[in-house]
Amino acid sequence: MRWVWFLWVVTIVVTARSASAEERLTLGSALVLAKTRSPAAREARAYRESADAGASAAIAGYLPSLSVRAGATQSWSESTYRASASRIVENASEHLGAEASARIGWTAFDFGRTPSQVAAARADARAAALRAAGTTIDVERAVASAFLTAVFDEDFVDVERTTVKVRERHAALARGLVQSGLRPPVEEARARVELESARVALMGAEAAQQEDRVALATLLVLDPSAELSLVRPSMLPTLTDDPAVAARRAAERRPDVGAAEADVAARSEDLAATRAARLPRFGVDVEASQRWDRPDSDTMLFPSRALVATASVSVPIFDWALVGRARVLEGQVEAAEARRTAATSRVKGEAAQAAIRARTARAVVAQAKRTAELAAVALAVVEARYQTGVASPLDLFDAAGRDADARYGLVRAERALAIATVDLLAATGRIQEIAR
């Protein structure tokens, strides 16, 4: 019986730990959720699958077409005429027939029209796939930024809590000095005001933390009221912050550029197919048929067979629609080339700006660390001087405020560096490295 109770307790503990582990959300798992649950990513994947189906359907131009036809006919006629002055003749007839045929048609050669149509469909499918990849990067970038914002909210709350503790210590110190008669009562009142201000700031930080967690849950299509246990990333990838290098890598890796290039290829192939439609078309048709006839109700069915093979040449003489479509496609090709240039310039600019932000954020973090260390030392010195009556309360409150600002600035700088790193990863097409 004891073993049964022991196993039962172990099962409960293991289940509880498993449940808590499932609730913990890492940055990598958040990105996986974003790719699978985001409506934007799902829509992009649907367009990609549709384009893939279109590319598969375009291959039908290479294949022959087969059609089968079957039918039956029945006719009945009656006529009356005068054969002579004294003789009237009535005549009735009935005819029954049936026919079945099969036809195979194949375009033997069309001067590249079909290959161009197939190439255009494949280019469209490639562009859709690359646009889906670009949409996924945008979704992952938004989720990663929201995740890091929510994670660093915990640090902001800790900063405000530490500030409240410091203000409580100062209020207690001022109260003791006032009670001993070493300080006037107004100093205790000032310390209480500083303490209440710190508590208000703590409430604001906690509210911002809750709002940012709701924003993250919304991006992940989760219940906004869900309690998310976020795991702080141990370390983000180290990247070069050279703007020129970042711009070059963005042009090579960003799906946006590849999608724009695929669009140019697709519109160019469409134009080539339209121009090829002005040229002759060589086709082969083979039709086999079987027919059964019965002239009247007193005779049997008489079968007949036929096999017809036709080689044809179709030469378009004039089709204004082809002329107009060619002009339309020429404009679309030019527009696609302009979009390719714009996409290349945009992604290179975004990558260069992200590299600059990452470089600046890294320098700001180093400076913020030194500032926080100096502010902590200065606060300790002023507290000791205040206890001995050398420093004024204004000096104490000012040193405490500078210490709080320095600690807050350090967290803000570290968050800016983390988000700048995510932006640089996304701008250079490497954001998937976060999930590794």
Side-chain angles (χ1 to χ4, degrees), residues 6-228:
F6 175 78
L7 293 176
W8 182 71
V9 172
V10 170
T11 302
I12 293 178
V13 172
V14 171
T15 304
R17 289 184 177 180
S18 300
S20 61
E22 291 176 355
E23 295 175 357
R24 295 174 66 81
L25 187 65
T26 65
L27 181 54
S29 60
L31 296 184
V32 173
L33 281 177
K35 288 188 291 186
T36 56
R37 299 177 64 90
S38 170
R42 291 169 56 191
E43 180 182 4
R45 287 196 298 271
Y47 280 121
R48 182 195 63 193
E49 293 172 359
S50 176
D52 289 340
S56 299
I59 302 177
Y62 287 119
L63 305 177
S65 61
L66 173 64
S67 61
V68 178
R69 184 174 63 88
T73 59
Q74 182 176 8
S75 63
W76 178 84
S77 64
E78 181 179 356
S79 61
T80 303
Y81 62 93
R82 185 182 294 276
S84 63
S86 61
R87 183 184 176 192
I88 297 177
V89 179
E90 294 181 355
N91 186 21
S93 64
E94 183 181 1
H95 179 272
L96 178 64
E99 182 180 5
S101 64
R103 178 183 175 276
I104 298 177
W106 178 53
T107 300
F109 185 69
D110 58 2
F111 289 93
R113 181 181 182 183
T114 299
S116 295
Q117 291 175 339
V118 172
R122 289 175 175 172
D124 282 331
R126 185 167 63 254
L130 290 170
R131 279 192 291 268
T135 300
T136 301
I137 288 178
D138 293 338
V139 170
E140 290 177 330
R141 177 179 183 177
V143 169
S145 297
F147 186 95
L148 293 172
T149 299
V151 165
F152 278 95
D153 281 339
E154 299 177 2
D155 293 345
F156 286 119
V157 171
D158 291 339
V159 167
E160 299 299 343
R161 286 174 180 167
T162 301
T163 302
V164 169
K165 292 180 180 179
V166 171
R167 297 300 187 182
E168 289 175 345
R169 185 172 70 247
H170 291 172
L173 179 60
R175 186 185 310 112
L177 293 176
V178 169
Q179 291 176 354
S180 63
L182 299 177
R183 294 289 184 177
V186 68
E187 293 189 10
E188 182 180 359
R190 289 176 177 175
R192 292 291 302 176
V193 170
E194 296 292 336
L195 174 58
E196 295 304 323
S197 298
R199 288 172 176 170
V200 170
L202 175 59
M203 294 173 60
E206 291 174 343
Q209 181 184 32
Q210 294 176 359
E211 292 180 4
D212 291 337
R213 286 174 178 266
V214 170
L216 176 60
T218 302
L219 287 176
L220 296 176
V221 198
L222 299 174
D223 185 1
S225 61
E227 293 292 336
L228 300 179

